[in-house]
Amino acid sequence: CALPIFFSLAALFFLIGAFLLLTSGGSQDRVSMGKKTIKAAIIGLVITLGAWLIINTLISVFTTCSNWTGFTC
């Protein structure tokens, strides 16, 4: 499943954003970049989970499978 990869990437970007915030030294550019990085990680995570939820629901409704690996061509 690809969800652990997405969670790992989101966590990495959270850490990068936090690092930028902690090491900004009062620089408004680095504070802004850190906040944008964290915001982008949250948005990406919401989009990913939303897409997974929609696809999983559609597969469950229109097929007899309960997960994505259960059906064959």
Side-chain angles (χ1 to χ4, degrees):
C1 189
L3 283 179
I5 295 170
F6 293 124
F7 282 123
S8 299
L9 286 174
L12 176 67
F13 280 100
F14 277 123
L15 289 174
I16 291 171
F19 178 77
L20 288 172
L21 285 173
L22 289 173
T23 61
S24 65
S27 169
Q28 289 300 320
D29 292 335
R30 288 183 60 96
V31 169
S32 176
M33 189 185 307
K35 287 181 180 180
K36 285 180 184 179
T37 303
I38 292 173
K39 184 178 176 181
I42 291 171
I43 290 171
L45 194 58
V46 167
I47 290 171
T48 301
L49 290 175
W52 178 84
L53 181 66
I54 290 168
I55 291 171
N56 193 44
T57 302
L58 289 174
I59 288 175
S60 297
V61 167
F62 293 119
T63 66
T64 58
C65 302
S66 61
N67 60 19
W68 296 11
T69 60
F71 60 92
T72 58
C73 296

